[in-house]
Amino acid sequence: MTMIVGPNGAGKTSLLRVLAGIGGDGDIEIDGEALGSLPPSRRAARLAFLGASRDIRWPLSARDFVALGLMGSADPNRVERALGLVDAEGFGARRLDRLSTGERSRIMIARALAPGAGVVLLDEPCANLDPKWQLVVLDRLRAEAQAGAVVALSIHDLDLARRHGDRVIVIEDGRIAADGPPAEALSDMIVERVFGIRRKQDFWIRA
Amino acid sequence: MNPRLYFTFSAAVLALFAAALLLPLQSLPALWGSDPELAGIVITELRLPRALLALVYGAVLGASGAAIQALFANPLASPDITGATGGAALGAVFTAYILGLAGPVAVALGGVTGAGLALGLLLLLAGPRAETATLLLAGIAISAITGATTALALALAPSPFAFYDAYDWLMGSLVDRSLPQLLFAAVPALAALVYLATRARPLDALALGEDTAAAMGHDITGLRYGVVAATALGVGAAVSVCGAVGFIGLVGPVLARRLTAGHPGRAILPAALIGSVLLLSADLAIRFAPPDRSIPVGVLTAMLGAPFFLWLVARMRWDAKP
């Protein structure tokens, strides 16, 4: 599980969009197959992407929304399993625009996890979630990673990034400032230089 | 939508189509007895083109309305409210009365161009994901421009009878259209229908968000231009022959989505069927006007559709309240 961290505007979202094949030029290859050459039906099984926006374009039910992520092969068992991953079976029938922001975020994460894609890219999956749900979501993503998926996500909470990531990439002004195991990539020196904060006892303070 | 509903709606379309050929009935049996050839002509040359036009025009309005609503992520979008119908009318009037090219090809091309320009202007003004207020305001502005310019074109037209000629046509009418006219409306409309029907899946995926749909491998820019071009083609050509028929492109998709659990893309085909049902019914209803009066079919659809539009706006307001 790879954590992408960096200050606002450093390029985390841009990096994830490029990896998902929707920003910039060039080709993305997964296992030697060019992403651009895959039809939508096969692409969904290869790559899942959760963008930064939690806006809803259309007021579908939560369950239908998750099913749309499966591209036609809307196997009801997969949909229920994905809803179960975020404990959303209880509000699967409700319309997205009637859900709270956090519940909506969980449904969107379920949508990204539903296809069981080999590569899962998520732009701030923890945004809008309460502290417990941030932990739950990171645990579920870790389970996906342990099952063999490549999981990469951007995150603002450095403590969560350090604790839950196998690899941390620190982005600064569109460049990789550090890349490695959490303890190395998020060393005091790098954090202070890139983010301008340092640890004082239990808290972060401005450096 | 499940197969049984498709069957029901298709049966309704067929029944209404048959009714459009046979109604009003009173003179037909007597005519059949005295002059079967004339009765045949009444059916094949007067009523058949009219029924076919209602079928195709209603279908293209429903399908393009559903596609435009899915594209703009807004249930209030439709060919008439986005100004596409007004643009088509302006294009057709301009071609016929100012350029003096009254042939069906030229008028149809003018209609398609006008509708395309209006939709292009709307995309520029309202942006790809139109907020309701921006969409409606841009639509009002475009409709005002096209309406005024159409009136100006008619006033400046060399023919002194232009206003009178155009009145019946602008209000939307399916009566007395020739076979070539039918073809120039129906062929582009069918092409647009076929294209839009194939866009059901990408338009559904678009409901997940533009980035998500793009990451799933859908060409969103191509989809946007495709839907706009197909709507301009289908609606533009139909308007150039039958004039502006309002609100079917709004009502059809809204009803269709009740049958597709709200899915915007897979509502395209049901919306086409419902559009046909609505226009065939409206065109049947106006045949029962007082004998010496004729009511343009567009007037009837607007009278029924406008209150529906108000109800939609009101419901959106209620929904927006937390």
Side-chain angles (χ1 to χ4, degrees), chain B residues 120-168:
Chain B
L121 187 59
L122 182 84
L123 265 179
L124 270 179
L125 287 174
R129 188 189 160 178
E131 296 298 332
T132 300
T134 333
L135 179 86
L136 294 183
L137 286 175
I140 289 170
I142 293 170
S143 297
I145 295 167
T146 55
T149 318
T150 305
L152 183 69
L154 287 174
L156 295 178
S159 158
F161 303 110
F163 251 118
Y164 180 77
D165 280 350
Y167 171 79
D168 177 57

Side-chain angles (χ1 to χ4, degrees), chain A residues 2-21:
Chain A
T2 303
M3 305 298 213
I4 300 169
V5 300
N8 291 135
K12 303 183 291 296
T13 295
S14 303
L15 173 62
L16 283 166
R17 283 172 52 91
V18 168
L19 289 175

Side-chain angles (χ1 to χ4, degrees), chain B residues 225-308:
Chain B
Y225 288 126
V227 167
V228 166
T231 301
L233 179 71
V235 174
V239 168
S240 73
V241 171
C242 305
V245 172
F247 292 101
I248 285 180
L250 176 77
V251 178
V254 170
L255 295 179
R257 280 196 301 272
R258 308 217 136 200
L259 308 170
T260 62
H263 289 80
R266 62 190 77 157
I268 288 178
L269 270 185
L273 286 173
I274 293 175
S276 287
V277 166
L278 289 174
L279 192 50
L280 279 165
S281 315
D283 189 51
L284 272 176
I286 58 164
R287 294 178 197 188
F288 299 95
D292 54 340
R293 292 271 179 267
S294 79
I295 302 173
V297 70
V299 171
L300 183 67
T301 62
M303 285 190 64
L304 297 174
F308 182 85

